[in-house]
Amino acid sequence: MKIICLGLNYRQHCIETGWQFPVEPVVFLKPDSALLKNNKPFFLPDFLENIHYEAEVVVKISKLGKSIAAKYASRYYNEVTVGIDITARSLQNRQIKAGLPWDLAKGFDGSAPIGTFIPLSEAGNIDNLDFSLKINGKTVQESNTSDLIFSVDTVIEYVSKFYTLKTGDIIFTGTPSGVGKLNKNDNLVAYLGNKPVLDFVIK
Ligand code: MG
């Protein structure tokens, strides 16, 4: 399966990181070995420093598709959750500065924790989903998918021109503002609406 991720898809996050607003979706992949499920702990790698959380709405592809028009995209996913795009920020910044790919800074083992998937029929309108992240009981990120620069359906149209989407692939749709550093013993709880879907600790 593929883990497809969107960068710079919320204006406030572009501003906090000093990027211009993108004119087309910014896409990168994580390997399947990055996936972390069932609320398993995340172990801070000892060879990386300044590891950041990025809470994101994640959709799961339910059907094979290629070159999917945005108006039909909703037929290709039916479950949603929240995941954390864990990022080695210092390494990523060094790579960006040098004009090099940031794959390693985004794709190391365990860098894609995901919550329990909720049927969209239960979660509601994909373009109007509240989500948030609490660390040690304090809300650090809070947004709504209506603030996405590129909507989920637009992203699917764009990405599926390049990559055939397969059942079980997942898409991290981008993070809002409020990203920050993870510390040992942090407890992360991510919410879709009021429902906690992901709850894990940093070790
Ligand atoms: Mg991200």
Side-chain angles (χ1 to χ4, degrees), residues 5-8 13 28 54-56 85 87 106 172 174-175:
C5 305
L6 272 288
L8 306 171
H13 176 62
F28 59 95
E54 298 187 358
E56 313 196 357
D85 167 18
T87 302
K106 288 280 195 180
F172 278 69
T175 198

Side-chain angles (χ1 to χ4, degrees), residues 140-154:
V140 293
Q141 290 190 280
E142 197 169 23
S143 195
N144 183 288
T145 52
S146 62
D147 288 331
L148 282 166
I149 297 174
F150 300 105
S151 70
V152 171
D153 291 352
T154 305

Side-chain angles (χ1 to χ4, degrees), residues 120-186:
L120 262 174
S121 53
E122 202 180 297
N125 179 355
I126 191 68
D127 295 319
N128 187 19
L129 293 178
D130 285 321
F131 67 105
S132 60
L133 174 66
K134 282 186 186 177
I135 300 186
N136 307 325
K138 184 179 167 236
T139 301
V140 293
Q141 290 190 280
E142 197 169 23
S143 195
N144 183 288
T145 52
S146 62
D147 288 331
L148 282 166
I149 297 174
F150 300 105
S151 70
V152 171
D153 291 352
T154 305
V155 163
I156 285 177
E157 176 174 86
Y158 184 81
V159 166
S160 69
K161 289 181 196 165
F162 296 83
Y163 301 137
T164 297
L165 299 182
K166 294 185 175 179
T167 304
D169 288 348
I170 59 175
I171 304 178
F172 278 69
T173 57
T175 198
S177 60
V179 304
K181 190 169 181 279
L182 288 170
N183 295 294
K184 211 169 179 174
N185 300 321
D186 280 346

Side-chain angles (χ1 to χ4, degrees), residues 1-5 29-33 35-37 58-65 68 75-81 112 114-115 117 156 164-172:
M1 54 84 71
K2 294 186 286 303
I3 305 172
I4 298 165
C5 305
L29 300 176
K30 292 179 187 247
D32 57 3
S33 45
L35 206 60
L36 193 61
K37 295 197 285 192
V58 176
V59 296
K60 191 196 275 182
I61 298 298
S62 56
K63 179 161 102 163
L64 184 90
I68 301 161
R75 299 177 184 176
Y76 290 82
Y77 57 91
N78 53 22
E79 288 180 298
V80 63
T81 189
I114 55 167
F117 279 95
I156 285 177
T164 297
L165 299 182
K166 294 185 175 179
T167 304
D169 288 348
I170 59 175
I171 304 178
F172 278 69

